[in-house]
Amino acid sequence: MAAETVIAVRGLSMAYGAVEAVRGIDLEVNRGEVFAFLGPNGAGKTTTVEILEGYRRRTAGEVSVLGVDPERAGADWRRRVGVVLQESAVEPDLTVRECVTLYAGYYAAGLPVAEIIDLVGLSESAEVRGGRLSGGQRRRLEVALALVGDPELLFLDEPTTGFDPSARRAAWDMITGLQGLGKTIFLTTHYMDEAEYLADRICVLAAGQIVGMGTPDTLGGRDSAPAEITFTVPAGVTPPDLPGTRPRPIRDGASGGRPAAETPQTTGRRIELQTDSPMDALGALAAWGLQQGHTLADIEVHRPTLEEIYLKLTEAAP
Amino acid sequence: MTGTVGAGTVGRPGRTAVALLAHQARYDALSFLRNRQARVFTLALPVLLLVIFSSALGNSTIEVAGTQIKQSTYYLPAIVALGTISASFVSLVISVTTQRESGILKRRRAAPVPAWVLIGGRTVTAVCTAGVIATLLLVIGSAGYGATVSGRTLPALAVAVVTGAVTFCAVGYALVTFIRSADAAQPLVQIVVLPLYFISGVFVPSDRIGTVLTDIAKVFPVYHLRQALLKPFEPHAATAGFAVGDLAILAAWAALGLAVAVLRFRWQPQGR
């Protein structure tokens, strides 16, 4: 059975005068999915998200969110959509409880205020005014405001920016929990570890176009990218000829990789190889090392990280 | 975007549109009362001005509409006009611009709440605040400085305060659309109201201002609010004290302000 489509976008374009911010993108988000939307600043992410949220008009293309065109959506549609905006929107002079109660009053069938405050972990700060909350607490209050109407679809625009590592981990657990409740989550983030941990699928936008789409494991051909094997052979030792390997191509510094420089002969020689069949190469290397008595203590086998894939995808864009 | 929402269809079950408006106004009022700057400028400043003007000038007389009245009786409605404008126009322009620029309006817009509830809630808060400040000034003015208003003209006074507050809310929403940053709101709103206070006889009685400036003042709503508030204080007035012409001009300004606001209002931050 095909998954139910919650967001469907076809040929979406948005131009501000002569500047094309979004240039014909297609995407689909299924019910219950965490969909991560990545891209450098200025790639058209915010424009796209704001079109999906109903804040912005578009120049061309078809957009359907929960079966409705956001440009023409009314109060019924907004009841089903929760939004956490990038900029802070906390009422500075109301307490956490008052702020959530104010928003709960906008919905016909909202969740209980105390339950929502507990869900985002703000129970102990319920009587603190918005203006006195820390950055992380403010972000959690914004999530509470988005959840109070019990939405089916949640837009989270950089929800953990400025969080410390433990607050970020708590936010991830919360988002995972929301997915467990069956909610669909459209997540914008700059953190690769966040996308990798949370997302079912990742979409990468660069210069207004989609340059990559897939699961965290398959994005940008990550699953079929060659593995890299690096190790140091002692000075004066000739490294073995390993089946199926080739020297790793030298990257320039801007591509995010480590420079493929060789260390001086006195301390040994750093060998950097690339292969599509790492087990064959490693087997031969292990046999050689054992026979020759070299421990190769610094051996590393490396698959491309999501960040490397992301940088490759976004740099290739015009 | 708003859609039409009839009574009983918004908010929690059984919650009427009026109840939703009251819900919004309640929290807007709470925010207002918690804001020190709003309290000082809206509540304390008019009281301070009334005390200063009445203490300094209260016992001399001034000719208004052919009769001599005590200056304290002249300044009380003038400062009630100032208080009403502070509670509606000044306070609203600053708070709404700040809310728009900080993203609060944009955030509220994502909720299924009709735009008129957000706008109306803030207006109700302003009208209530104006009522409170007018009552406070009236009590201080009559108890402390012997300014008098008869019970017969109290309804006219109340109508003038409410009409004035609503008018200056509408004009305030219009002005908000011309301000691009929260920092600019406070100085800009003062530049608009201070000269108008002077030429409209709020600080200096109109008969000492000269006809040219008074004629200019008559174009703007400050003058007419002061007139509408002064009329109920005129002694020996046989009427109920309704300044129909001035109230009509205020209503016209309200319509103009509303029209500009509806055409130009934005929910998203405009600056930067």
Side-chain angles (χ1 to χ4, degrees), chain A residues 29-72:
Chain A
V29 179
N30 299 319
R31 186 170 292 280
E33 186 173 37
V34 176
F35 186 88
F37 199 49
L38 309 184
N41 290 330
K45 277 196 322 279
T46 301
T47 297
T48 305
V49 174
E50 290 197 340
I51 288 168
L52 298 180
E53 290 168 345
Y55 278 119
R56 224 175 255 285
R57 294 178 173 276
R58 57 187 185 266
T59 330
E62 288 165 38
V63 176
S64 164
V65 176
L66 295 170
V68 176
D69 182 344
E71 245 177 53
R72 288 189 280 278

mmCIF file of all heavy atoms in Angstrom, chain A residues 29-72:
data_model
loop_
_atom_site.group_PDB
_atom_site.id
_atom_site.type_symbol
_atom_site.label_atom_id
_atom_site.label_comp_id
_atom_site.label_asym_id
_atom_site.label_seq_id
_atom_site.Cartn_x
_atom_site.Cartn_y
_atom_site.Cartn_z
ATOM 1 N N VAL A 29 6.101 14.489 0.834
ATOM 2 C CA VAL A 29 6.338 14.048 2.209
ATOM 3 C C VAL A 29 5.169 13.146 2.604
ATOM 4 O O VAL A 29 4.004 13.489 2.368
ATOM 5 C CB VAL A 29 6.443 15.244 3.176
ATOM 6 C CG1 VAL A 29 6.656 14.765 4.601
ATOM 7 C CG2 VAL A 29 7.567 16.182 2.755
ATOM 8 N N ASN A 30 5.506 11.982 3.166
ATOM 9 C CA ASN A 30 4.470 11.011 3.524
ATOM 10 C C ASN A 30 4.069 11.129 4.984
ATOM 11 O O ASN A 30 4.841 11.601 5.819
ATOM 12 C CB ASN A 30 4.972 9.594 3.249
ATOM 13 C CG ASN A 30 5.291 9.402 1.787
ATOM 14 O OD1 ASN A 30 4.553 9.871 0.913
ATOM 15 N ND2 ASN A 30 6.401 8.743 1.516
ATOM 16 N N ARG A 31 2.877 10.662 5.275
ATOM 17 C CA ARG A 31 2.374 10.736 6.650
ATOM 18 C C ARG A 31 3.260 9.932 7.599
ATOM 19 O O ARG A 31 3.684 8.832 7.276
ATOM 20 C CB ARG A 31 0.934 10.213 6.713
ATOM 21 C CG ARG A 31 0.298 10.396 8.098
ATOM 22 C CD ARG A 31 -1.192 10.110 8.101
ATOM 23 N NE ARG A 31 -1.963 11.092 7.338
ATOM 24 C CZ ARG A 31 -2.319 12.303 7.796
ATOM 25 N NH1 ARG A 31 -1.968 12.675 8.997
ATOM 26 N NH2 ARG A 31 -3.022 13.111 7.036
ATOM 27 N N GLY A 32 3.572 10.536 8.739
ATOM 28 C CA GLY A 32 4.357 9.844 9.758
ATOM 29 C C GLY A 32 5.850 9.942 9.578
ATOM 30 O O GLY A 32 6.621 9.399 10.365
ATOM 31 N N GLU A 33 6.263 10.663 8.546
ATOM 32 C CA GLU A 33 7.678 10.731 8.203
ATOM 33 C C GLU A 33 8.333 11.950 8.881
ATOM 34 O O GLU A 33 7.694 12.980 9.052
ATOM 35 C CB GLU A 33 7.748 10.885 6.679
ATOM 36 C CG GLU A 33 9.108 10.847 6.086
ATOM 37 C CD GLU A 33 9.048 10.841 4.544
ATOM 38 O OE1 GLU A 33 8.181 11.514 3.950
ATOM 39 O OE2 GLU A 33 9.892 10.177 3.962
ATOM 40 N N VAL A 34 9.627 11.821 9.229
ATOM 41 C CA VAL A 34 10.416 13.008 9.557
ATOM 42 C C VAL A 34 11.218 13.337 8.304
ATOM 43 O O VAL A 34 12.065 12.558 7.866
ATOM 44 C CB VAL A 34 11.366 12.776 10.749
ATOM 45 C CG1 VAL A 34 12.234 14.013 10.963
ATOM 46 C CG2 VAL A 34 10.578 12.476 12.011
ATOM 47 N N PHE A 35 10.908 14.477 7.705
ATOM 48 C CA PHE A 35 11.505 14.883 6.438
ATOM 49 C C PHE A 35 12.426 16.047 6.718
ATOM 50 O O PHE A 35 11.980 17.100 7.166
ATOM 51 C CB PHE A 35 10.388 15.277 5.467
ATOM 52 C CG PHE A 35 10.850 15.587 4.068
ATOM 53 C CD1 PHE A 35 10.971 14.578 3.126
ATOM 54 C CD2 PHE A 35 11.126 16.890 3.700
ATOM 55 C CE1 PHE A 35 11.385 14.867 1.834
ATOM 56 C CE2 PHE A 35 11.546 17.185 2.402
ATOM 57 C CZ PHE A 35 11.670 16.170 1.460
ATOM 58 N N ALA A 36 13.735 15.862 6.498
ATOM 59 C CA ALA A 36 14.690 16.935 6.794
ATOM 60 C C ALA A 36 14.998 17.713 5.527
ATOM 61 O O ALA A 36 15.253 17.131 4.471
ATOM 62 C CB ALA A 36 15.972 16.352 7.373
ATOM 63 N N PHE A 37 14.964 19.010 5.646
ATOM 64 C CA PHE A 37 15.156 19.910 4.517
ATOM 65 C C PHE A 37 16.430 20.693 4.783
ATOM 66 O O PHE A 37 16.491 21.507 5.695
ATOM 67 C CB PHE A 37 13.935 20.827 4.448
ATOM 68 C CG PHE A 37 13.722 21.519 3.136
ATOM 69 C CD1 PHE A 37 13.760 20.812 1.948
ATOM 70 C CD2 PHE A 37 13.452 22.880 3.106
ATOM 71 C CE1 PHE A 37 13.534 21.456 0.734
ATOM 72 C CE2 PHE A 37 13.229 23.530 1.901
ATOM 73 C CZ PHE A 37 13.273 22.825 0.713
ATOM 74 N N LEU A 38 17.476 20.386 4.011
ATOM 75 C CA LEU A 38 18.786 20.980 4.275
ATOM 76 C C LEU A 38 19.202 21.868 3.124
ATOM 77 O O LEU A 38 18.750 21.706 2.000
ATOM 78 C CB LEU A 38 19.853 19.882 4.440
ATOM 79 C CG LEU A 38 19.595 18.731 5.397
ATOM 80 C CD1 LEU A 38 20.827 17.838 5.462
ATOM 81 C CD2 LEU A 38 19.272 19.246 6.773
ATOM 82 N N GLY A 39 20.126 22.761 3.430
ATOM 83 C CA GLY A 39 20.683 23.602 2.373
ATOM 84 C C GLY A 39 21.389 24.779 2.978
ATOM 85 O O GLY A 39 21.073 25.186 4.088
ATOM 86 N N PRO A 40 22.359 25.332 2.243
ATOM 87 C CA PRO A 40 23.072 26.492 2.785
ATOM 88 C C PRO A 40 22.147 27.709 2.904
ATOM 89 O O PRO A 40 21.087 27.737 2.272
ATOM 90 C CB PRO A 40 24.182 26.753 1.760
ATOM 91 C CG PRO A 40 23.838 25.958 0.563
ATOM 92 C CD PRO A 40 22.833 24.927 0.920
ATOM 93 N N ASN A 41 22.558 28.685 3.672
ATOM 94 C CA ASN A 41 21.790 29.923 3.757
ATOM 95 C C ASN A 41 21.675 30.527 2.362
ATOM 96 O O ASN A 41 22.626 30.531 1.597
ATOM 97 C CB ASN A 41 22.483 30.923 4.684
ATOM 98 C CG ASN A 41 22.427 30.483 6.132
ATOM 99 O OD1 ASN A 41 21.482 29.804 6.536
ATOM 100 N ND2 ASN A 41 23.442 30.847 6.892
ATOM 101 N N GLY A 42 20.485 30.999 2.036
ATOM 102 C CA GLY A 42 20.280 31.598 0.730
ATOM 103 C C GLY A 42 19.907 30.596 -0.348
ATOM 104 O O GLY A 42 19.757 30.951 -1.510
ATOM 105 N N ALA A 43 19.740 29.316 0.028
ATOM 106 C CA ALA A 43 19.417 28.290 -0.961
ATOM 107 C C ALA A 43 17.941 28.315 -1.348
ATOM 108 O O ALA A 43 17.543 27.702 -2.334
ATOM 109 C CB ALA A 43 19.784 26.912 -0.426
ATOM 110 N N GLY A 44 17.112 29.029 -0.563
ATOM 111 C CA GLY A 44 15.678 29.046 -0.850
ATOM 112 C C GLY A 44 14.874 28.221 0.142
ATOM 113 O O GLY A 44 13.679 28.018 -0.046
ATOM 114 N N LYS A 45 15.534 27.757 1.203
ATOM 115 C CA LYS A 45 14.846 26.931 2.217
ATOM 116 C C LYS A 45 13.692 27.668 2.876
ATOM 117 O O LYS A 45 12.564 27.182 2.900
ATOM 118 C CB LYS A 45 15.816 26.539 3.336
ATOM 119 C CG LYS A 45 16.668 25.360 3.074
ATOM 120 C CD LYS A 45 17.300 24.825 4.350
ATOM 121 C CE LYS A 45 17.758 25.837 5.358
ATOM 122 N NZ LYS A 45 19.057 26.472 5.133
ATOM 123 N N THR A 46 13.999 28.856 3.417
ATOM 124 C CA THR A 46 12.979 29.588 4.160
ATOM 125 C C THR A 46 11.822 29.976 3.242
ATOM 126 O O THR A 46 10.654 29.868 3.618
ATOM 127 C CB THR A 46 13.606 30.832 4.819
ATOM 128 O OG1 THR A 46 14.636 30.383 5.687
ATOM 129 C CG2 THR A 46 12.582 31.594 5.628
ATOM 130 N N THR A 47 12.146 30.395 2.024
ATOM 131 C CA THR A 47 11.093 30.725 1.060
ATOM 132 C C THR A 47 10.182 29.525 0.845
ATOM 133 O O THR A 47 8.959 29.634 0.914
ATOM 134 C CB THR A 47 11.735 31.159 -0.275
ATOM 135 O OG1 THR A 47 12.481 32.340 -0.053
ATOM 136 C CG2 THR A 47 10.668 31.426 -1.327
ATOM 137 N N THR A 48 10.785 28.358 0.626
ATOM 138 C CA THR A 48 9.992 27.145 0.388
ATOM 139 C C THR A 48 9.123 26.809 1.597
ATOM 140 O O THR A 48 7.926 26.548 1.467
ATOM 141 C CB THR A 48 10.927 25.950 0.072
ATOM 142 O OG1 THR A 48 11.767 26.309 -1.017
ATOM 143 C CG2 THR A 48 10.127 24.714 -0.268
ATOM 144 N N VAL A 49 9.740 26.845 2.782
ATOM 145 C CA VAL A 49 9.000 26.491 3.993
ATOM 146 C C VAL A 49 7.839 27.476 4.201
ATOM 147 O O VAL A 49 6.723 27.085 4.528
ATOM 148 C CB VAL A 49 9.936 26.455 5.223
ATOM 149 C CG1 VAL A 49 9.134 26.237 6.494
ATOM 150 C CG2 VAL A 49 10.964 25.356 5.065
ATOM 151 N N GLU A 50 8.105 28.755 3.981
ATOM 152 C CA GLU A 50 7.048 29.749 4.193
ATOM 153 C C GLU A 50 5.915 29.617 3.174
ATOM 154 O O GLU A 50 4.769 29.948 3.476
ATOM 155 C CB GLU A 50 7.640 31.163 4.193
ATOM 156 C CG GLU A 50 8.479 31.380 5.451
ATOM 157 C CD GLU A 50 8.779 32.836 5.757
ATOM 158 O OE1 GLU A 50 8.687 33.679 4.840
ATOM 159 O OE2 GLU A 50 9.110 33.123 6.919
ATOM 160 N N ILE A 51 6.246 29.129 1.988
ATOM 161 C CA ILE A 51 5.180 28.848 1.016
ATOM 162 C C ILE A 51 4.339 27.671 1.524
ATOM 163 O O ILE A 51 3.117 27.708 1.498
ATOM 164 C CB ILE A 51 5.782 28.564 -0.383
ATOM 165 C CG1 ILE A 51 6.307 29.871 -0.988
ATOM 166 C CG2 ILE A 51 4.735 27.940 -1.300
ATOM 167 C CD1 ILE A 51 7.170 29.690 -2.217
ATOM 168 N N LEU A 52 5.011 26.641 2.044
ATOM 169 C CA LEU A 52 4.283 25.473 2.556
ATOM 170 C C LEU A 52 3.444 25.833 3.781
ATOM 171 O O LEU A 52 2.371 25.268 4.008
ATOM 172 C CB LEU A 52 5.261 24.343 2.925
ATOM 173 C CG LEU A 52 6.103 23.773 1.789
ATOM 174 C CD1 LEU A 52 7.017 22.665 2.305
ATOM 175 C CD2 LEU A 52 5.219 23.230 0.669
ATOM 176 N N GLU A 53 3.927 26.783 4.585
ATOM 177 C CA GLU A 53 3.212 27.188 5.795
ATOM 178 C C GLU A 53 2.075 28.165 5.503
ATOM 179 O O GLU A 53 1.312 28.511 6.409
ATOM 180 C CB GLU A 53 4.199 27.859 6.779
ATOM 181 C CG GLU A 53 5.186 26.893 7.400
ATOM 182 C CD GLU A 53 6.318 27.605 8.129
ATOM 183 O OE1 GLU A 53 6.498 28.817 7.918
ATOM 184 O OE2 GLU A 53 7.039 26.952 8.896
ATOM 185 N N GLY A 54 2.025 28.650 4.267
ATOM 186 C CA GLY A 54 0.952 29.574 3.893
ATOM 187 C C GLY A 54 1.272 31.036 4.148
ATOM 188 O O GLY A 54 0.387 31.886 4.056
ATOM 189 N N TYR A 55 2.535 31.333 4.453
ATOM 190 C CA TYR A 55 2.916 32.723 4.717
ATOM 191 C C TYR A 55 3.217 33.489 3.434
ATOM 192 O O TYR A 55 3.212 34.702 3.420
ATOM 193 C CB TYR A 55 4.164 32.776 5.595
ATOM 194 C CG TYR A 55 3.876 32.599 7.058
ATOM 195 C CD1 TYR A 55 4.409 31.539 7.772
ATOM 196 C CD2 TYR A 55 3.073 33.510 7.727
ATOM 197 C CE1 TYR A 55 4.149 31.388 9.118
ATOM 198 C CE2 TYR A 55 2.808 33.367 9.068
ATOM 199 C CZ TYR A 55 3.354 32.304 9.759
ATOM 200 O OH TYR A 55 3.095 32.166 11.094
ATOM 201 N N ARG A 56 3.579 32.757 2.388
ATOM 202 C CA ARG A 56 4.133 33.388 1.208
ATOM 203 C C ARG A 56 3.437 32.868 -0.029
ATOM 204 O O ARG A 56 3.047 31.707 -0.074
ATOM 205 C CB ARG A 56 5.611 33.000 1.127
ATOM 206 C CG ARG A 56 6.530 34.124 0.788
ATOM 207 C CD ARG A 56 7.951 33.620 0.855
ATOM 208 N NE ARG A 56 8.626 34.101 2.040
ATOM 209 C CZ ARG A 56 9.057 35.347 2.191
ATOM 210 N NH1 ARG A 56 8.899 36.230 1.233
ATOM 211 N NH2 ARG A 56 9.656 35.715 3.300
ATOM 212 N N ARG A 57 3.276 33.732 -1.013
ATOM 213 C CA ARG A 57 2.750 33.299 -2.301
ATOM 214 C C ARG A 57 3.888 32.778 -3.163
ATOM 215 O O ARG A 57 5.041 32.954 -2.828
ATOM 216 C CB ARG A 57 2.042 34.457 -2.989
ATOM 217 C CG ARG A 57 0.801 34.875 -2.221
ATOM 218 C CD ARG A 57 0.121 36.046 -2.871
ATOM 219 N NE ARG A 57 -1.145 36.282 -2.187
ATOM 220 C CZ ARG A 57 -2.278 35.635 -2.471
ATOM 221 N NH1 ARG A 57 -2.297 34.739 -3.456
ATOM 222 N NH2 ARG A 57 -3.373 35.867 -1.805
ATOM 223 N N ARG A 58 3.527 32.128 -4.262
ATOM 224 C CA ARG A 58 4.559 31.576 -5.137
ATOM 225 C C ARG A 58 4.366 32.112 -6.542
ATOM 226 O O ARG A 58 3.291 32.613 -6.877
ATOM 227 C CB ARG A 58 4.476 30.050 -5.132
ATOM 228 C CG ARG A 58 3.110 29.526 -5.546
ATOM 229 C CD ARG A 58 3.019 28.013 -5.373
ATOM 230 N NE ARG A 58 1.748 27.490 -5.867
ATOM 231 C CZ ARG A 58 0.679 27.290 -5.118
ATOM 232 N NH1 ARG A 58 0.709 27.585 -3.826
ATOM 233 N NH2 ARG A 58 -0.423 26.807 -5.643
ATOM 234 N N THR A 59 5.417 31.998 -7.348
ATOM 235 C CA THR A 59 5.314 32.472 -8.724
ATOM 236 C C THR A 59 4.715 31.382 -9.612
ATOM 237 O O THR A 59 3.946 31.665 -10.515
ATOM 238 C CB THR A 59 6.711 32.863 -9.263
ATOM 239 O OG1 THR A 59 7.519 33.322 -8.189
ATOM 240 C CG2 THR A 59 6.589 33.979 -10.263
ATOM 241 N N ALA A 60 5.091 30.118 -9.365
ATOM 242 C CA ALA A 60 4.585 29.035 -10.209
ATOM 243 C C ALA A 60 4.642 27.716 -9.454
ATOM 244 O O ALA A 60 5.348 27.592 -8.455
ATOM 245 C CB ALA A 60 5.422 28.953 -11.494
ATOM 246 N N GLY A 61 3.888 26.749 -9.971
ATOM 247 C CA GLY A 61 3.942 25.406 -9.420
ATOM 248 C C GLY A 61 2.693 25.056 -8.624
ATOM 249 O O GLY A 61 1.857 25.907 -8.344
ATOM 250 N N GLU A 62 2.602 23.754 -8.303
ATOM 251 C CA GLU A 62 1.463 23.277 -7.525
ATOM 252 C C GLU A 62 1.932 22.872 -6.142
ATOM 253 O O GLU A 62 2.951 22.202 -5.992
ATOM 254 C CB GLU A 62 0.829 22.055 -8.208
ATOM 255 C CG GLU A 62 0.077 22.402 -9.481
ATOM 256 C CD GLU A 62 -0.211 21.153 -10.291
ATOM 257 O OE1 GLU A 62 -0.523 20.106 -9.671
ATOM 258 O OE2 GLU A 62 -0.085 21.221 -11.519
ATOM 259 N N VAL A 63 1.171 23.279 -5.138
ATOM 260 C CA VAL A 63 1.507 22.929 -3.765
ATOM 261 C C VAL A 63 0.254 22.428 -3.072
ATOM 262 O O VAL A 63 -0.807 23.061 -3.130
ATOM 263 C CB VAL A 63 2.064 24.148 -2.988
ATOM 264 C CG1 VAL A 63 2.321 23.780 -1.537
ATOM 265 C CG2 VAL A 63 3.342 24.665 -3.631
ATOM 266 N N SER A 64 0.365 21.259 -2.445
ATOM 267 C CA SER A 64 -0.747 20.733 -1.665
ATOM 268 C C SER A 64 -0.204 20.299 -0.310
ATOM 269 O O SER A 64 0.727 19.510 -0.228
ATOM 270 C CB SER A 64 -1.381 19.547 -2.400
ATOM 271 O OG SER A 64 -2.196 18.826 -1.499
ATOM 272 N N VAL A 65 -0.759 20.875 0.745
ATOM 273 C CA VAL A 65 -0.376 20.499 2.105
ATOM 274 C C VAL A 65 -1.639 20.042 2.817
ATOM 275 O O VAL A 65 -2.599 20.811 2.916
ATOM 276 C CB VAL A 65 0.288 21.681 2.846
ATOM 277 C CG1 VAL A 65 0.596 21.302 4.283
ATOM 278 C CG2 VAL A 65 1.557 22.127 2.127
ATOM 279 N N LEU A 66 -1.663 18.786 3.253
ATOM 280 C CA LEU A 66 -2.873 18.174 3.821
ATOM 281 C C LEU A 66 -4.052 18.339 2.859
ATOM 282 O O LEU A 66 -5.184 18.599 3.263
ATOM 283 C CB LEU A 66 -3.205 18.792 5.180
ATOM 284 C CG LEU A 66 -2.187 18.537 6.305
ATOM 285 C CD1 LEU A 66 -2.503 19.389 7.516
ATOM 286 C CD2 LEU A 66 -2.162 17.065 6.686
ATOM 287 N N GLY A 67 -3.746 18.228 1.551
ATOM 288 C CA GLY A 67 -4.801 18.270 0.542
ATOM 289 C C GLY A 67 -5.312 19.660 0.212
ATOM 290 O O GLY A 67 -6.288 19.805 -0.530
ATOM 291 N N VAL A 68 -4.661 20.692 0.761
ATOM 292 C CA VAL A 68 -5.142 22.057 0.560
ATOM 293 C C VAL A 68 -3.987 22.908 0.043
ATOM 294 O O VAL A 68 -2.839 22.706 0.431
ATOM 295 C CB VAL A 68 -5.666 22.641 1.907
ATOM 296 C CG1 VAL A 68 -6.081 24.098 1.755
ATOM 297 C CG2 VAL A 68 -6.815 21.795 2.440
ATOM 298 N N ASP A 69 -4.298 23.847 -0.843
ATOM 299 C CA ASP A 69 -3.294 24.815 -1.277
ATOM 300 C C ASP A 69 -3.098 25.836 -0.165
ATOM 301 O O ASP A 69 -4.037 26.553 0.188
ATOM 302 C CB ASP A 69 -3.792 25.506 -2.561
ATOM 303 C CG ASP A 69 -2.776 26.501 -3.106
ATOM 304 O OD1 ASP A 69 -1.850 26.877 -2.367
ATOM 305 O OD2 ASP A 69 -2.917 26.877 -4.279
ATOM 306 N N PRO A 70 -1.890 25.905 0.442
ATOM 307 C CA PRO A 70 -1.694 26.807 1.591
ATOM 308 C C PRO A 70 -2.036 28.267 1.297
ATOM 309 O O PRO A 70 -2.379 29.010 2.209
ATOM 310 C CB PRO A 70 -0.197 26.663 1.901
ATOM 311 C CG PRO A 70 0.233 25.417 1.254
ATOM 312 C CD PRO A 70 -0.671 25.176 0.087
ATOM 313 N N GLU A 71 -1.915 28.676 0.027
ATOM 314 C CA GLU A 71 -2.263 30.054 -0.328
ATOM 315 C C GLU A 71 -3.734 30.355 -0.042
ATOM 316 O O GLU A 71 -4.100 31.493 0.210
ATOM 317 C CB GLU A 71 -2.009 30.281 -1.827
ATOM 318 C CG GLU A 71 -0.929 31.284 -2.099
ATOM 319 C CD GLU A 71 -0.650 31.433 -3.589
ATOM 320 O OE1 GLU A 71 -1.610 31.668 -4.350
ATOM 321 O OE2 GLU A 71 0.518 31.304 -3.986
ATOM 322 N N ARG A 72 -4.558 29.342 -0.121
ATOM 323 C CA ARG A 72 -5.988 29.573 0.070
ATOM 324 C C ARG A 72 -6.519 28.906 1.334
ATOM 325 O O ARG A 72 -7.717 28.716 1.484
ATOM 326 C CB ARG A 72 -6.757 29.043 -1.147
ATOM 327 C CG ARG A 72 -6.564 29.912 -2.383
ATOM 328 C CD ARG A 72 -7.499 29.505 -3.495
ATOM 329 N NE ARG A 72 -7.000 28.343 -4.213
ATOM 330 C CZ ARG A 72 -6.081 28.425 -5.187
ATOM 331 N NH1 ARG A 72 -5.589 29.588 -5.539
ATOM 332 N NH2 ARG A 72 -5.655 27.349 -5.791
#
